[in-house]
Each structure stands twice: as C-alpha cells, then as structure tokens.
Amino acid sequence: EAIAYDLDAPFNIDYHDSVGSTNDRARELAGAGHAGVAVVADEQTASRGRLDREWVSPPGGVWLSVVVRPEAPPAHAPAYTLAMAVAVTRACREAGVDARIKWPNDVLVGDDEGDEAEPTERGGRKLCGVLTEMEGEAERVSWLVVGPGLNANIAPEDLPADAGATSLLAERGEPVDRRVIVQRILEEFDALTADLRGAVDAWEEYADTVGRRVRVDTPGGIVEGEAVGIEFPGALVVDTGEEMVRVTAGDCEHLRP
Ligand code: BT5
C-alpha cells in the first residue's frame, strides 16, 4: 500500500520510496535550516541503530525521522527519545498490539517469562528502536533528529532472525495502514514534547523495565540491580543493593528475579 505523502500531521512529510537512512536525510534537512519536518521511507538501504549497529529496513516498515528545534539544552535530548517511544507504543496499541517499553528506547511485545532456561535478555520481541542524534551548543541544541524504526508490514522471514525481532504484521496477522500509524506517531510526539516532564511520566506508565532486575552495560561499566524508576530527562534509577545509581546511557538486559 502507499504510505505517507499528504497526511494531516503536525509535520511536513518528506517521503522516499527508498533512501539510505531517514536519519541521514533528516540531518541534511536540519543542517539546511529546516524544522518541523518528518522524513518517511518505505525502505532504507543504509540505516543505523545506536552505536553504528546495523538496522534491517526492508520495504513495509515505518522508517521515520523527525527534525525538531526545541529551546532545550542537549541534556534534555533523552526525553525526546522517551517521548518517541511513548508515541510509537500508543500507535501500536491503537493497532491492537500490546506494546511495552524497555529502557531506554526499545518498543517490545510479549516476554519470555515462560521460558525457564534463559534470562529475559531481550525482555520480549522487538518491534521498534529509536535513534536520536543532535547538534548544538552547551546551552541549547541547534537541532534534534529523532528516528524510530517500526517493523510494520514486514513478514517475519524478512526480519533479523537472531535479534528477537517481530512486526505489527506478525503480531496481528494482517497489515496495518501505515499512514494511520505515521500520523498517530507524529501527533502523539508533537503533543508529548510540548510537556517533556509529562512525557517521561507517560514513559513510566508503559515501561516494562521498572520493577525488574536489570543488568545495564554502560560506558562506565556494568550496573546490576533493581530498576526502581525513571528520572527526568531519562535516567534509569537502579538500586544495586548498596546505592542508587542513575544510568543515562547503555544497553539494558532484563534479568530473572
Ligand atoms: C535501535 O538501535 O534500536 C535504534 C534503531 C533506529 C532505526 C531507525 S529507522 C529510521 C531511522 N533511520 C535510521 O538510519 N535509523 C533510525 P539498537 O538499540 O542499537 O538496536 C540495534 C540492534 O537491533 C541490532 O544490532 C540488531 O540486533 C537488532 N535489529 C536490527 N534490525 C532490526 C529490526 N528491523 N527489528 C528489530 N531488531 C533489529
């Protein structure tokens, strides 16, 4: 089906049948002074996850990157990533898929609690991840690009087999209307980012990580303990048994209690 050109959304749409990376295209537009624009592609040929990992992007996904120019310091950028995860989660739920969030940016469905043998490394099957990039000064960002990749109408065999990935199509058994999904994500993201503290509270509502034992691989080393909450603009608070650690970046693994 055709995707997004003439949506009634709070962003101008820059649509591509195929593009290297919507984040790269959005960065170009941001660098050229654009704001309030959302790059959307049916397929990406050079898309990226965090830390330059590969992101698999066949046709049928919602590959999206939003350019915003908030009056905010760079330190607030994580809240935009959380807001996007909330927006995607809501759009997935409206499509009938019970999505939840794993800190910081993974939208997941289901879990493997029933599997006795393995810890819940993935904490469920991954529907979406968000890559946020920015440029700016210490006091104020010049632009932010917030890029969610949502596996929408993608057959399971076209997803990375070893990564625990799933799609809306696989979960529902029928395709979604991607125009509706894109429109709802953009509307929610726009509303959520008007109140960033509220967005972080909303994130906690959908979070699967809070209340679990976690192991987080951070730039400063491994932090293991119980995730007890989230703190604006996006730090995961982990009770290690000895101290409360605020983790601002890293890969999080859900552990068995
Ligand atoms: C992320 O990275 O989860 C952020 C992904 C952001 C992709 C979007 S698509 C639109 C925009 N344009 C871009 O170029 N990027 C953004 P990370 O947490 O590092 O997870 C990456 C890992 O997820 C990989 O190492 C794989 O294991 C796995 N993976 C790759 N493709 C996947 C997919 N389609 N679905 C689920 N998991 C995937």
Side-chain angles (χ1 to χ4, degrees), residues 21-23 44 46-50 53-57 63-65 105-106 122 126 129-131 147-149 151 159-160 163 165 251:
S21 152
T22 54
N23 260 48
Q44 298 180 107
S47 52
R48 295 176 279 119
R50 295 178 303 149
R53 293 178 190 129
E54 190 198 354
W55 184 258
V56 173
S57 306
W63 318 129
L64 174 66
S65 297
N105 68 344
D106 285 359
R122 188 53 100 175
K126 184 162 170 173
V130 184
L131 176 65
N151 300 323
L159 290 168
D251 284 313

Side-chain angles (χ1 to χ4, degrees), residues 65-216:
S65 297
V66 176
V67 180
V68 286
R69 292 178 177 280
E71 291 199 19
H76 287 186
Y80 289 83
T81 307
L82 300 190
M84 185 57 87
V86 171
V88 171
T89 297
R90 288 183 174 162
C92 291
R93 289 184 172 209
E94 284 171 18
V97 173
D98 188 23
R100 300 169 292 107
I101 309 175
K102 189 179 84 165
W103 185 86
N105 68 344
D106 285 359
V107 180
L108 308 173
V109 59
D111 61 44
D112 36 13
E113 292 270 279
D115 182 347
E116 294 291 321
E118 294 293 322
T120 57
E121 195 171 317
R122 188 53 100 175
R125 301 179 295 280
K126 184 162 170 173
L127 272 175
C128 172
V130 184
L131 176 65
T132 297
E133 298 176 292
M134 69 176 142
E135 193 172 275
E137 311 293 325
E139 290 85 56
R140 192 179 184 285
V141 297
S142 133
W143 51 257
L144 271 171
V145 167
V146 188
L150 170 62
N151 300 323
N153 297 335
I154 300 178
E157 56 269 26
D158 295 332
L159 290 168
D162 53 347
T166 190
S167 66
L168 291 177
L169 173 64
E171 297 298 324
R172 286 160 40 100
E174 59 180 350
V176 289
D177 183 341
R178 282 181 292 168
R179 300 166 49 98
V180 174
I181 299 282
V182 170
Q183 172 149 358
R184 291 297 298 126
I185 291 173
L186 294 177
E187 285 170 355
E188 286 287 344
F189 180 75
D190 190 48
L192 285 159
T193 53
D195 169 18
L196 279 186
R197 285 175 194 274
V200 174
D201 292 342
W203 183 94
E204 195 153 17
E205 220 178 285
Y206 299 117
D208 194 37
T209 301
V210 175
R212 283 190 188 259
R213 281 201 69 77
V214 296
R215 181 188 296 131
V216 195

